[in-house]
Structure formats: structure tokens, C-alpha cells
């Protein structure tokens, strides 16, 4: 069994890390470069940085930040937000990122996934999926969770894998920032159906939630934000706990 990964996520707006609940009510969580260094030193396996506004000016600010992050940390990191064309991917990789995360752009034009993977390799392409469990089942959303599209979570996830994406980052919008646990039933459904790794996102509130994401949800990695940003769960303590629960974790 491959070692499970712990991944802090940093949402970046105007050069600072922010965190919200259910995709709204944002509050500041500190400098993204400094936080990245702290997480790298604390034993995080990877990091994810998301430019949540991705305006043209914000994109320049974000690219500069990616360059600084690459100089400060020694673990892989993924960047996302406003990745709409191959030149965006090239710019982020040139700035020092290891992977890019695509979401809305891929749903609007699925062939974008093929283009990324054929030019840069599958390992570079993380496909983020924001989904909500509506009355008629799990559906995907775009534009930061604002607009529902008529693609179901499972069908889209299968297509993403078929098109060559290296990983899926699945965020349950219902669970985001609520700290009541990950969407383990949906995670297990994805894990059973897909040949590529699934990263769990949305819902971490305590150490047991990470354990359940791995054991019940069968996730390959677990991503969280506020519990790390605000010091609620130190990463070394979390890793010790998970090892004690019989889960293979990198130390």
C-alpha cells in the first residue's frame, strides 16, 4: 500500500491566505509563503495553493508568490485557480510548481485535460472537482462552487481519469469548512471506480476525520486548511496518531 499523504491547502486572495466556510465568509490566515515553509518543516507531504480570485492582476501577484514558495520549500506543491490555457500551465511550472490543478476550465472544455497531459505528462495534471450532494445526487459545480453543471460527480471523475489526469482532488461543498468529517461514502465510491489517486477535501475537524477518510473513504491523500492554519491539529501529532491507527504515513 502506498503511504497516505497529508496536504495543507492554502487559498490565496490578494497575496494572503484566506479560509472560509462552505466557500464563503473568508478570513485571513497569514502569509502563504511563510505558512508553506512552516508546513514543509512540520512534515506535510505536499501543498496546494489556490488563487481564488485569479483576476489578471491577481494572477501576476500569484505567479510571483509561486516563485517565492518554490525557493522556500522542499516538498511538491500544486497550484490552481485561473488555469485556462497551456500557457498558464507553462507559467506555473516555470515559476516552480510541480503540478497544476484545473477545475472549471476542464469542465467547460474537457479536451484541456488531454492537452495538459500530452504536453507535460499525467503527473502534472490534478483535476479538482467541486461537487454537492443535491436532491438528485452528486453534481459538479464551477466558478468556485457558484454554478451547477449537468455532470454527475462519478461520470465526470471517470472521464477525467480516461483523459489522462494524474489525480482527482474532490471537494464536497456540503462539508467544506464545517469540520464534521469528509464525504466518505462519495470518496469510497470514487476510489472503487477510478484507477488514479483521489485526494479528499472538505470537512476535516479532528484527527479521527483523517483516519476515516483513509479507512472508510479509501482516499489516497487528505487535504485540509483551517485546522492547520489556526493550529488546531499539528501535522506531526496527526501523523503519529494515524500511524498508531495502522495507517501507512510518511514520517
Amino acid at each position: 500500500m502506498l503511504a497516505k499523504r497529508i496536504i495543507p491547502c492554502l487559498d490565496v486572495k490578494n497575496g494572503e491566505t484566506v479560509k472560509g466556510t462552505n466557500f464563503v465568509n473568508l478570513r485571513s490566515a497569514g502569509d502563504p509563503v511563510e505558512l508553506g515553509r512552516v508546513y514543509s518543516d512540520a512534515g506535510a507531504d505536499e501543498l496546494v495553493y489556490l488563487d481564488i480570485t485569479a483576476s489578471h492582476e491577481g494572477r501576476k501577484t500569484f505567479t510571483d508568490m509561486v516563485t517565492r514558495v518554490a525557493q522556500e520549500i522542499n516538498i511538491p506543491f500544486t497550484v490552481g485557480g485561473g488555469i485556462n490555457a497551456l500557457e498558464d500551465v507553462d507559467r506555473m511550472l516555470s515559476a516552480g510548481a510541480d503540478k497544476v490543478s484545473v477545475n472549471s476550465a476542464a469542465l467547460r472544455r474537457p479536451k484541456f485535460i488531454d492537452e495538459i497531459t500530452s504536453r507535460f505528462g499525467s503527473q502534472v495534471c490534478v483535476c479538482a472537482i467541486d461537487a454537492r450532494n443535491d436532491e438528485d445526487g452528486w453534481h459538479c459545480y464551477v466558478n468556485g462552487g457558484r454554478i451547477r453543471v449537468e455532470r454527475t460527480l462519478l461520470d465526470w471523475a471517470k472521464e477525467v481519469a480516461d483523459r489522462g489526469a494524474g489525480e482527482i482532488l474532490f471537494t464536497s461543498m456540503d462539508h467544506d469548512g464545517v469540520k464534521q468529517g469528509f464525504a466518505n461514502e462519495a470518496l469510497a465510491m470514487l476510489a472503487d471506480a477510478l484507477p488514479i489517486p483521489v485526494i479528499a477535501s472538505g470537512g476535516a475537524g479532528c484527527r479521527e476525520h483523517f483516519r476515516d477518510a483513509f479507512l472508510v473513504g479509501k482516499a489516497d491523500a487528505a487535504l485540509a486548511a483551517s485546522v492547520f492554519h489556526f493550529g488546531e491539529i499539528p501535522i506531526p501529532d496527526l501523523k503519529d496518531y494515524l500511524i498508531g491507527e495502522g495507517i501507512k504515513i510518511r514520517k
Side-chain angles (χ1 to χ4, degrees):
M1 183 178 70
L2 289 174
K4 305 296 188 181
R5 290 169 286 151
I6 300 298
I7 306 177
C9 179
L10 299 92
D11 291 342
V12 179
K13 181 179 181 182
N14 300 326
E16 69 173 357
T17 310
V18 296
K19 183 61 190 120
T21 302
N22 300 126
F23 285 40
V24 294
N25 301 323
L26 301 177
R27 58 173 172 154
S28 175
D31 177 71
V33 179
E34 176 60 29
L35 270 176
R37 184 167 56 239
V38 169
Y39 290 143
S40 178
D41 292 345
D45 298 298
E46 297 181 21
L47 298 175
V48 171
Y49 284 91
L50 298 176
D51 181 355
I52 63 169
T53 47
S55 66
H56 176 70
E57 190 56 39
R59 214 176 266 174
K60 183 180 183 305
T61 303
F62 189 72
T63 305
D64 292 343
M65 183 213 73
V66 170
T67 301
R68 290 187 292 125
V69 169
Q71 294 168 346
E72 292 289 342
I73 71 171
N74 57 7
I75 58 175
F77 71 103
T78 299
V79 296
I83 307 287
N84 298 308
L86 287 178
E87 46 264 38
D88 297 325
V89 180
D90 192 43
R91 185 175 66 254
M92 290 302 166
L93 297 179
S94 297
D98 298 277
K99 310 175 196 178
V100 296
S101 171
V102 293
N103 188 341
S104 300
L107 266 163
R108 293 195 177 98
R109 192 171 70 86
K111 198 170 185 296
F112 188 34
I113 297 171
D114 306 62
E115 293 168 357
I116 295 172
T117 58
S118 63
R119 179 162 168 185
F120 300 105
S122 289
Q123 78 284 352
V124 161
C125 185
V126 178
C127 192
I129 303 177
D130 297 334
R132 175 177 280 144
N133 193 9
D134 297 326
E135 289 184 4
D136 55 347
W138 284 94
H139 277 267
C140 302
Y141 282 72
V142 296
N143 286 34
R146 296 176 185 89
I147 302 171
R148 170 172 150 155
V149 297
E150 289 309 309
R151 297 298 301 267
T152 66
L153 169 62
L154 184 57
D155 284 348
W156 175 234
K158 286 180 176 178
E159 180 174 339
V160 163
D162 289 343
R163 288 182 177 275
E167 295 180 278
I168 284 175
L169 168 55
F170 163 53
T171 300
S172 166
M173 294 169 58
D174 303 302
H175 294 71
D176 177 67
V178 181
K179 300 185 180 181
Q180 297 297 309
F182 294 92
N184 293 318
E185 190 174 318
L187 281 166
M189 171 186 72
L190 293 175
D192 288 339
L194 302 175
I196 60 175
V198 178
I199 303 168
S201 170
C206 63
R207 299 179 304 176
E208 290 78 10
H209 292 157
F210 289 88
R211 175 198 65 196
D212 293 346
F214 294 135
L215 296 182
V216 181
K218 306 178 186 178
D220 297 275
L223 176 148
S226 58
V227 293
F228 296 142
H229 299 341
F230 303 115
E232 296 163 35
I233 303 178
I235 290 173
D237 294 356
L238 173 60
K239 287 196 163 188
D240 287 342
Y241 166 78
L242 292 171
I243 290 168
E245 291 292 311
I247 297 167
K248 188 174 180 182
I249 292 284
R250 294 190 188 98
K251 278 291 282 179

